[in-house]
Amino acid sequence: MPSEKDSSDSDESSEYPNHPYQLLCSLPSALHTTHQRRCDSQMPLSDSLMPLADNCPLVEVKVSKLKDCLMLTPGWLDIEKFQEWSNACHRYLKHSEKKSKEIVRFVVDGMLEPCFVKWYHANQTCIDALSLDKYLTEFVKYVLPCKWEHGVRNTLLSSKQGNKPFADWQIELENLNTLLANTKSTCCLSDASVQAQLKANMNPDLRAKLDNTNLIATTFQDWIRKVTELNEDLHEENACTQRLIDANNAAHAAEQQKRKPLAEHLSDPPTCTQSPSLMGSSVNANILQLPWLTEDEKRILKEHKGCT
């Protein structure tokens, strides 16, 4: 009776009859250890995306010109950087005029991370024979932690529009779903599921406007376009309302400035009505002037001059 290993080997051989497809078995020990540590780890997915080595930088995708070979700098790779690398590879395929069957041989030469280089050199014959999409599917299996797709799907399902423009938020979700689709993940959502998710988590005001609108859309992209228009109309309505509120507040403040409450009038200190020039330059105009002395008061002061 054939063993489970023999059965799996025969399945792989039948799926790839033209070349010995044994990437997993020939995985270099360094990369296999990293991959196994991530798979066996019980830490949350967000934590498992951190570099396994201290002070390890995040990779950068560098492209000088569309026709020039791209470069992946040394470092660790997260989901967003893998998506960037995948997009850059497809752009290179489109503009480089290279044949699709030879494009992978040029792309892998741009991977400068030693761990990725070892993985390629150990399986060069097999990898060179892959299509670009198949190469990216195999590459993502070893550079991202196990069940990374579930983390992306959870992010997609829990995302809310908030105060973002609907178009920007929708593109963010579409990019996440495209990442799942490009890697042939079973976590990828259908257009109908994405549409339902967008409606459930969109801004409450936009959802209310959508519910009160007889919106008819034949396709998912048509629905996206019409909801984007509704969101722009809602934004303009809110901006107009805010302008009216600001104008009303300004008019109210000006009216309040003209009217002084009675309490403020009663609390005002008495002011001197005499011209400051008559009181001397050193006397404040707001200080009350003492009354003039009478003749009797002058006589008494003169008689008692010098008394203490």
Side-chain angles (χ1 to χ4, degrees):
M1 178 179 296
S3 63
E4 293 182 3
K5 180 178 180 181
D6 296 336
S7 176
S8 62
D9 291 344
S10 62
D11 292 340
E12 290 181 357
S13 300
S14 61
E15 184 178 358
Y16 306 99
N18 297 328
H19 56 78
Y21 193 76
Q22 300 293 337
L23 292 179
L24 180 59
C25 297
S26 57
L27 187 67
S29 58
L31 184 56
H32 179 74
T33 302
T34 301
H35 179 69
Q36 191 62 39
R37 283 173 60 191
R38 290 180 173 177
C39 291
D40 295 341
S41 175
Q42 300 300 318
M43 69 179 72
L45 179 63
S46 59
D47 294 337
S48 65
L49 295 178
M50 296 301 291
L52 296 175
D54 293 337
N55 300 323
C56 183
L58 189 65
V59 300
E60 293 182 22
V61 179
K62 295 186 176 181
V63 182
S64 56
K65 296 181 181 179
L66 292 176
K67 290 186 177 182
D68 292 345
C69 190
L70 55 164
M71 182 173 65
L72 189 67
T73 63
W76 64 282
L77 194 72
D78 65 0
I79 295 174
E80 292 183 356
K81 286 299 182 180
F82 172 78
Q83 177 75 331
E84 186 179 347
W85 174 248
S86 175
N87 293 337
C89 289
H90 282 97
R91 285 195 300 270
Y92 179 63
L93 173 63
K94 179 180 179 181
H95 296 282
S96 65
E97 300 179 355
K98 298 285 191 303
K99 297 180 180 179
S100 58
K101 62 181 181 180
E102 64 179 7
I103 193 68
V104 173
R105 283 180 287 177
F106 291 92
V107 167
V108 293
D109 284 341
M111 300 190 307
L112 304 183
E113 167 58 39
C115 197
F116 303 158
V117 174
K118 291 179 182 178
W119 171 72
Y120 169 64
H121 286 166
N123 308 278
Q124 183 171 354
T125 302
C126 300
I127 294 176
D128 287 346
L130 298 177
S131 65
L132 180 59
D133 288 338
K134 194 60 184 178
Y135 149 74
L136 292 171
T137 299
E138 292 303 321
F139 185 47
V140 76
K141 290 180 181 178
Y142 305 118
V143 296
L144 295 184
C146 291
K147 299 182 180 180
W148 65 269
E149 308 102 315
H150 299 280
V152 174
R153 183 187 176 97
N154 290 339
T155 300
L156 195 156
L157 294 177
S158 62
S159 177
K160 296 184 181 299
Q161 179 186 355
N163 294 324
K164 297 178 183 177
F166 177 80
D168 295 346
W169 176 59
Q170 172 263 326
I171 290 175
E172 290 179 7
L173 267 62
E174 285 280 21
N175 284 339
L176 291 175
N177 201 46
T178 299
L179 173 60
L180 297 174
N182 289 343
T183 55
K184 305 297 186 291
S185 172
T186 57
C187 295
C188 180
L189 300 181
S190 64
D191 286 349
S193 298
V194 174
Q195 179 174 329
Q197 192 63 27
L198 289 171
K199 183 174 182 180
N201 290 328
M202 66 174 50
N203 184 285
D205 294 337
L206 177 59
R207 184 166 59 249
K209 189 175 182 66
L210 177 61
D211 291 338
N212 295 327
T213 303
N214 186 21
L215 191 148
I216 301 176
T218 56
T219 64
F220 173 60
Q221 293 303 325
D222 188 33
W223 183 85
I224 290 293
R225 180 180 60 80
K226 292 182 178 181
V227 173
T228 301
E229 292 175 356
L230 286 179
N231 186 80
E232 292 174 352
D233 292 343
L234 179 63
H235 177 74
E236 182 58 33
E237 292 171 5
N238 291 339
C240 182
T241 301
Q242 187 60 48
R243 286 194 295 269
L244 293 175
I245 293 175
D246 293 341
N248 182 68
N249 290 340
H252 180 71
E255 186 66 22
Q256 288 294 103
Q257 188 69 20
K258 293 179 181 178
R259 298 180 182 178
K260 269 194 173 182
L262 179 60
E264 289 188 16
H265 285 290
L266 295 177
S267 62
D268 285 344
T271 58
C272 179
T273 58
Q274 186 172 352
S275 174
S277 59
L278 299 178
M279 301 174 57
S281 59
S282 62
V283 180
N284 193 300
N286 291 330
I287 299 178
L288 291 177
Q289 184 182 12
L290 294 176
W292 296 104
L293 295 176
T294 64
E295 292 298 326
D296 291 338
E297 290 172 338
K298 292 179 180 180
R299 180 178 55 78
I300 294 173
L301 287 175
K302 187 176 181 179
E303 292 176 356
H304 296 278
K305 183 177 181 180
C307 295
T308 57

